[in-house]
Amino acid sequence: MERTLVLVKPDGVQRGLIGEVISRLERRGLKLVAAKFIQVSQELAETHYAIHKGKPFYEGLVRYITCAPVMAMVWEGPAAVAAVRQTMGATRPTEAAPGTLRHDFALSISRNLTHASDSPENGEKEVALWFKAEELTGWERSVDPWIVEGN
Ligand code: CMP
């Protein structure tokens, strides 16, 4: 089953929107397999955003993700990467579709509430970067036959 990293970034935490993010992903049918509320180190921030190094917004991005705690989570489901990104909406909140989290709760690309892995490959990499294997909970969800099973 596909897994993806989701971060409720400092703006989402400060604004009391952790529950809203979790609630929407739960209601979508995705399964939470790991979560931790942490202060991000400079090293983790630089590794996570290494792909953006050299871009004009890189320094601000690292400063921002390390300025206050984040809620880091792993969510699982069929096509979890696409499903989560759809629920989040476009990276630029003013381009996010109505009903998505970023449409409903954000205005600025530099304060866009959440991060979500952008491909299954990056999902695997980011989950491994943020979580130890023993932090991932392999649990049976009794409602799965009503959400993710085929016929
Ligand atoms: P995220 O999904 O965390 O991945 C990279 C982040 O960089 C992105 O969300 C935005 O918060 C941020 N970002 C991307 N483009 C810009 C930009 N042009 N200006 C400021 N921040 C940006």
Side-chain angles (χ1 to χ4, degrees), residues 9 49 52 57 61 91 109 112 115:
K9 298 199 276 193
Y49 281 132
H52 297 296
F57 58 86
L61 193 55
T91 305
I109 193 165
N112 64 353
H115 167 83

Side-chain angles (χ1 to χ4, degrees), residues 33-131:
V33 294
K36 57 186 174 186
F37 186 60
I38 55 167
Q39 180 67 49
V40 178
S41 67
Q42 183 76 15
E43 189 189 358
L44 177 56
E46 288 179 3
T47 308
H48 176 74
Y49 281 132
I51 194 167
H52 297 296
K53 196 161 186 177
K55 293 182 185 166
F57 58 86
Y58 171 76
E59 311 269 321
L61 193 55
V62 170
R63 210 177 319 119
Y64 156 60
I65 200 82
T66 55
C67 77
V70 308
M71 186 71 179
M73 299 176 278
V74 178
W75 289 84
E76 184 181 277
V81 166
V84 168
R85 289 178 72 80
Q86 189 182 40
T87 295
M88 301 307 171
T91 305
R92 191 177 292 281
T94 50
E95 292 170 4
T100 62
L101 270 161
R102 288 181 178 136
H103 171 278
D104 293 354
F105 295 100
L107 285 171
S108 163
I109 193 165
S110 55
R111 296 290 181 270
N112 64 353
L113 291 180
T114 57
H115 167 83
S117 308
D118 63 4
S119 68
E121 297 71 35
N122 283 339
E124 292 297 321
K125 279 189 208 150
E126 291 180 355
V127 167
L129 175 66
W130 286 76
F131 287 87

